[in-house]
Amino acid sequence: VLKMAGMSNAMATLTCFLIGIVQVLSVFANSMLVDRWGRRPLAIIGTMCVMLGLSFMACGFGMGGSEDQSHVAIWCGGLAVLGMCIFRVGFSFSLSPLPYIMTAELFPQEVRAVGVAISHMVNWATNALVCQTFPMLDEAMTRSMAANEAHAIIFAVYLGFTFIALAFVIVYLPETRGVRLEDVKA
């Protein structure tokens, strides 16, 4: 994303390093707040941050990105990079660590080990699917349209899926903070 937004290799590497530090701090913040605020609110806040980041990336690339070096293109590239940063922080704060906390809490004792194993397998398979399909989609779409348009469409589709995830969290995810494992109703 950083290079697609027009960053040099050196600047993209430095930015990745800084984002990595912020991600570690975000996970640490999650560990400090998860029992105080609750899992459900953190999941909702984090998913909304991920959606905001994806919106910025879709808009940044959709409005011009880095195809030319005009001031508009630089600002649009900056918006896409800001979106990526918001996405990474929001994800690291909530959707990255919460599944590992909550899956053990949501399954009844009789099926907990199998349920957690299947949940984590699906989580990692989905992560692999997204990581593998992004470059393939990007390559296929840039054959028939401008690269920035392709990037914007891909991030807009991811935004749509994240909206579905937010609706699922709001409707179905129970709060498990302060609830005994035996009393959790998933």
Side-chain angles (χ1 to χ4, degrees):
V1 172
L2 299 173
K3 291 186 80 177
M4 291 187 310
M7 282 193 171
S8 68
N9 285 342
M11 185 56 93
T13 301
L14 176 63
T15 303
C16 281
F17 175 75
L18 295 174
I19 289 171
I21 291 171
V22 173
Q23 282 183 269
V24 169
L25 295 174
S26 296
V27 172
F28 180 73
N30 173 285
S31 69
M32 301 302 290
L33 296 173
V34 71
D35 284 326
R36 195 174 320 155
W37 289 7
R39 286 96 165 114
R40 190 170 189 277
L42 288 181
I44 292 170
I45 291 167
T47 305
M48 292 171 107
C49 287
V50 166
M51 290 175 67
L52 179 65
L54 289 168
S55 298
F56 281 12
M57 285 190 279
C59 288
F61 285 117
M63 294 187 311
S66 61
E67 294 283 319
D68 62 38
Q69 291 302 310
S70 70
H71 286 37
V72 171
I74 292 169
W75 279 104
C76 291
L79 183 62
V81 170
L82 176 63
M84 190 208 66
C85 294
I86 293 169
F87 173 92
R88 301 282 299 263
V89 168
F91 187 80
S92 296
F93 179 70
S94 64
L95 298 178
S96 177
L98 282 178
Y100 299 101
I101 297 168
M102 295 195 71
T103 51
E105 297 173 340
L106 293 175
F107 289 102
Q109 179 64 36
E110 307 81 49
V111 295
R112 186 167 294 144
V114 172
V116 168
I118 291 171
S119 294
H120 291 191
M121 181 186 68
V122 169
N123 183 19
W124 280 103
T126 305
N127 288 337
L129 181 68
V130 171
C131 290
Q132 292 299 313
T133 59
F134 179 84
M136 291 186 280
L137 285 170
D138 189 53
E139 182 181 332
M141 292 174 70
T142 54
R143 288 186 199 130
S144 61
M145 64 181 68
N148 289 339
E149 291 174 4
H151 305 329
I153 291 169
I154 292 169
F155 289 122
V157 169
Y158 290 164
L159 175 62
F161 281 114
T162 308
F163 179 80
I164 293 168
L166 177 64
F168 183 86
V169 166
I170 289 170
V171 173
Y172 293 110
L173 187 68
E175 178 56 68
T176 58
R177 176 182 56 117
V179 179
R180 293 175 352 128
L181 289 177
E182 299 81 25
D183 297 332
V184 173
K185 303 286 185 223

